[in-house]
């Protein structure tokens, strides 16, 4: 399964925020065996969003859009996605109910804020989505997500994005597997060995120099776990390997 | 000046690495008044790189490409950029000299590594770039960058990318300015005020909720510093503002 990730937001284009939403989603997809083909940041502009959603919905198996949901003027993602499908953005009855309930819970929990700021939310603005879309519940905030065919729209606030994605995570899958080894050998000493590895096995080989010094990292990916394992065995017979450096260790690493 | 950033690398698409190169470049460009229109991650695939470089060189004032330089099989960026311009990738004489010099310096500094790994670098592979390109010196490593017209190609190792960019930073400029204020008001209470702000002033207004609670952030951007300042003054008369939270402070913040 090939997936494109489209993140919306001027603040990402200004370099003010690392795009941790994209890398988090990419890891979730990789864990499920799906492959990420593109990660793109675009401004808060409905036409640009519409252009990429239309093009990528046709080109890839799924598109994940995140950011630009909500009730302020710069939240134009729903309009962009609607335009990509030639639909209008309308108030969704289920979403309006969810937003109303969330707003009521917020008001109950924060009576001072509601009083002080004369908070009068335009709940309908938070409940808009492309006509006929399937609402995706956001258990962590006001902005509800949606899916239109294979295009999934998620909120941009990280905890809301994660909570909304969890509800549809099961819809993403694939047969991509990978294994990674670390080596103290300089990248320049690996060239011939890695070329032969690619000739012998039906795998993709990535070679990543360490930011400073070694160990360098070699990642072998493919669609057949046995082939990937055999390629790693072949490589380990020819190249000295070491455990991952502390900074690269993840839960589950040996 | 509108700039697109194209970062190359399977490891970014797997979510293994945050794209700090893109956000660093975006901040450098913003500081110089240029606007970043796109940030895209593509795989180590020459055809995909060529497609975006060709399209974006026509659409934007400059394209910054980073990653996928060097001498291993997955370093295909120079081939992709060359293809975008209908040129061949060739060994550049100046680049070969720089690479040879860097390799000699590395060997002098690391005689054990060179002995142990029988290091025999294919220096020409590191010195390839599109025919007729202008070499961009990389004072921090082997992989030399290049510029073809308004397309700038930089190494992917962060310290090498930064060092190479410094050499051409003066070629990026623009008249974008912005100011940011923070407010304890919930985003929902700002909608009408921000709408009026946009009606009254020729500015772009971004409204960014805090990850949890407040203060929320409002960013006002435009091409005329006086207009941006007037818009901020108008806003500060109507909305309570507070100093930036510790996590958002940068050198130079008041």
């Amino acid at each position: 399964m090939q997936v494109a990730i489209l993140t919306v937001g001027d603040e990402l284009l200004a370099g003010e925020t690392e795009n941790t939403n994209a890398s988090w989603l990419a890891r979730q997809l990789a864990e499920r065996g799906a492959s990420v083909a593109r990660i793109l940041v675009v401004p808060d502009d409905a036409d640009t969003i519409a252009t990429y959603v239309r093009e990528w919905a046709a080109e890839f198996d799924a598109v994940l859009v995140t950011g630009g949901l909500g009730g302020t003027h710069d939240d134009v993602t729903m309009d962009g996605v609607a335009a990509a499908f030639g639909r209008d953005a309308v108030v969704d009855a289920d979403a309006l109910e969810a937003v109303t309930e969330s707003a009521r819970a917020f008001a109950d929990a924060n009576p001072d804020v509601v009083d002080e700021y004369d908070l009068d939310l335009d709940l309908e603005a938070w409940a808009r989505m492309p006509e006929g879309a399937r609402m995706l519940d956001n258990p962590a905030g006001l902005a509800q997500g949606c899916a239109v065919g294979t295009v999934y729209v998620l909120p941009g606030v990280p905890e809301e994005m994660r909570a909304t994605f969890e509800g549809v995570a099961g819809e993403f899958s694939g047969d991509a597997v990978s294994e990674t080894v670390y080596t103290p050998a300089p990248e320049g000493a690996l060239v011939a060995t890695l070329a032969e590895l690619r000739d012998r096995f039906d795998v993709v080989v990535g070679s990543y120099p360490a930011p400073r010094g070694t160990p360098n990292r070699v990642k072998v990916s493919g669609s057949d776990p046995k082939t990937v394992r055999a390629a790693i065995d072949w490589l380990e017979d020819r190249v000295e390997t070491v455990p991952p450096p502390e900074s690269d260790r993840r839960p589950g690493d040996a």
Side-chain angles (χ1 to χ4, degrees), chain A residues 1 3 56-58 60-64 85 147-152 172:
Chain A
M1 187 173 187
V3 183
W56 285 358
F60 302 110
D61 299 310
V63 182
L64 280 169
F85 289 95
V148 187
T150 57
V151 176
Y152 296 75
F172 297 88

Side-chain angles (χ1 to χ4, degrees), chain A residues 141-161:
Chain A
L142 278 187
Q144 306 303 303
C146 77
V148 187
T150 57
V151 176
Y152 296 75
V153 184
L154 310 173
V157 175
E159 64 196 48
E160 301 186 25
M161 185 273 300

Side-chain angles (χ1 to χ4, degrees), chain A residues 220-241:
Chain A
V220 176
S221 314
S223 58
D224 177 40
K226 283 185 190 161
T227 304
V228 169
R229 185 65 246 172
I232 290 280
D233 287 342
W234 185 92
L235 187 62
E236 286 178 332
D237 284 346
R238 281 153 188 85
V239 171
E240 181 190 353
T241 60

Side-chain angles (χ1 to χ4, degrees), chain A residues 112-130:
Chain A
D112 299 350
V113 173
V114 175
D115 275 0
E116 183 178 352
Y117 294 103
D118 188 21
L119 197 60
D120 182 19
L121 286 174
D122 178 1
L123 296 177
E124 297 201 340
W126 292 78
R128 288 173 72 247
M129 54 186 61

